Amino acid sequence: MTDSAATDGAWPADDHVHSQFSWDAGAGDMEATCARAVQLGLPAVSFTEHLDVGAWQAPPGGWAWRGTVRGRTDEHGRFMSEPLEVQAYLEEVERCRHLFPDLRIRWGVELSEGHRHPAASAEVVRWGFERVVGSLHALADLDHPGEVVEMRGAVAQRGALGTVLAYLDEAAEMAASDAPFELLGHLDYPLRYWPADAGPLPWGELEERVRHVLSVLSGSGRALEVNTSRPLELVVVRWWREAGGQAVSFGSDAHRPEDLAVRWREVADAVRAAGFRPTADPTALSGRS
Ligand SMILES: [Zn+2]
Ligand SMILES: [Zn+2]
C-alpha cells in the first residue's frame, strides 16, 4: 500500500472539542463524545476545555448565553467564568481512556488571550496539556481602558468590519507572543457575529492583514486551525500554505457530543485540495501535501 492510499481516505482527528468541564458546555459529556468519536471512526479526539481568565465586559443589552453557563457577573456587569477544575478533568480523561482504549484521547485547553495572561499561561505549561488551542474571544474595551469586551460588545464599539480588523491585529500580536499554544483557533471567530444584512465579508480588502497574521503564525512554528463550526474560507488555507504554514488542525468546536466532527468530510476534502492532508500518523495534525 502506498502512503497516499493509506492516508487519502483517513479522517483527521478532532483537535478542538469541549466537554462538561467547559463553563459554557452545559450539554457537554466526555464519555458520550468519545463514544461518538469511535462510532464515526475518528482516530483521535482532543478535549480543549475553556481556560478563560479575567473579566469580560458585557455586551450592550447584557449577556444572552445559550444554554447553561457556569460563572458570575460582578457589580460592574462583567462576566467571570468558573475556573477549570483541572484535577477532576484529568481524572475523567483517564477514565475515558480506559473505556475507549483504541481512541487516542488528548487532554488540553483552549487558552483565551494567552498573551494578556502570563500567570494562566504559566499554569498551562505546568499542567502539561497535550493540545493547547490559542484563541481570542475578547478585544480591548474602548470604553473601559485596560479591560476587554466580548465580541458583541466589540461590534457595538467598532462596527462589524472594524471588529474583524481589530481581531486580526490582535491575533498577529498573540501569534508573535510566547503564549504557550500550538494551534491558532478560529481566526474567523468574529464572523460568528457578522450581521446577516452586511453581505459577504470582503476578504479581498483583508488579504494583506490576514496574510500578515499567517506569516507571523508560520514563523512561530504553530499550526492554523480550520474550525468547522463555521468552515474557514479556503482562500485563507491557501494563503496559509503560501505563508509557509506547515500544518493545519481540524476542530469542530463541539460543545455537545452530537456536534463532534461536524462537516468533517467536506471540509477535509476541501483542505486537502488546498494543500494539506493527513500524515502517516492519523492522530497527528495534517501536513503539507
Ligand atoms: Zn473559542
Ligand atoms: Zn472552543
Side-chain angles (χ1 to χ4, degrees), residues 4-278:
S4 116
T7 56
D8 275 358
W11 291 87
D14 194 334
D15 277 305
H16 185 158
V17 180
H18 299 276
S19 78
Q20 66 270 29
F21 293 94
S22 285
W23 59 265
D24 67 343
D29 184 329
M30 187 183 291
E31 182 180 336
T33 299
C34 292
R36 176 92 178 128
V38 170
Q39 183 188 32
L40 292 171
L42 292 189
V45 61
S46 299
F47 291 98
T48 52
E49 309 297 358
H50 283 293
L51 190 64
D52 303 302
V53 292
W56 293 346
Q57 282 287 349
W63 300 100
W65 301 106
R66 288 167 301 155
T68 321
V69 298
R70 298 193 305 272
R72 63 181 177 86
T73 306
D74 71 11
E75 67 274 22
H76 305 293
R78 302 179 309 178
F79 178 79
M80 292 190 74
S81 59
E82 262 185 21
L84 177 61
E85 293 178 32
V86 182
Q87 192 59 46
Y89 170 29
L90 178 57
E91 285 166 14
E92 182 65 357
V93 167
E94 297 287 9
R95 195 180 71 85
C96 286
R97 283 174 175 158
H98 280 102
L99 290 174
F100 305 97
D102 296 331
L103 177 67
R104 174 75 194 268
I105 301 171
R106 292 186 172 93
W107 82 312
V109 286
E110 179 176 10
L111 173 63
S112 269
E113 297 98 50
H115 60 306
R116 289 180 181 268
H117 301 293
S121 294
E123 280 291 284
V124 165
V125 173
R126 192 172 70 80
W127 279 101
F129 293 110
E130 296 166 306
R131 277 280 185 264
V132 182
V133 175
S135 293
L136 282 178
H137 296 110
L139 292 175
D141 185 341
L142 300 181
D143 295 335
H144 301 85
E147 304 208 9
V148 296
V149 65
E150 61 74 75
M151 284 300 132
R152 281 160 298 176
V155 169
Q157 291 179 350
R158 298 171 167 88
L161 185 58
T163 297
V164 174
L165 297 176
Y167 193 93
L168 292 171
D169 287 348
E170 183 135 1
E173 205 178 305
M174 191 167 76
S177 79
D178 59 1
F181 68 95
E182 58 186 329
L183 316 173
L184 178 64
H186 50 53
L187 183 59
D188 53 355
Y189 184 71
L191 296 188
R192 298 184 190 180
Y193 301 88
W194 186 257
D197 60 5
L201 181 77
W203 282 103
E205 285 179 34
L206 301 178
E207 178 173 350
E208 196 179 325
R209 257 191 169 89
V210 176
R211 282 187 185 273
H212 175 63
V213 178
L214 299 176
S215 166
V216 174
L217 186 69
S218 172
S220 77
R222 297 182 176 101
L224 178 71
E225 172 186 277
V226 177
N227 193 293
T228 65
S229 67
R230 184 198 176 286
L232 183 64
E233 291 284 331
L234 267 191
V235 69
V236 177
V237 182
R238 285 197 289 271
W239 290 341
W240 173 236
R241 200 173 192 288
E242 288 168 19
Q246 294 298 309
V248 300
S249 65
F250 292 84
S252 65
D253 216 344
H255 282 63
R256 47 184 196 167
E258 55 267 43
D259 292 332
L260 185 72
V262 65
R263 301 189 187 88
W264 227 230
R265 180 59 75 197
E266 72 183 73
V267 175
D269 286 348
V271 168
R272 184 188 301 272
F276 293 91
R277 50 184 263 176

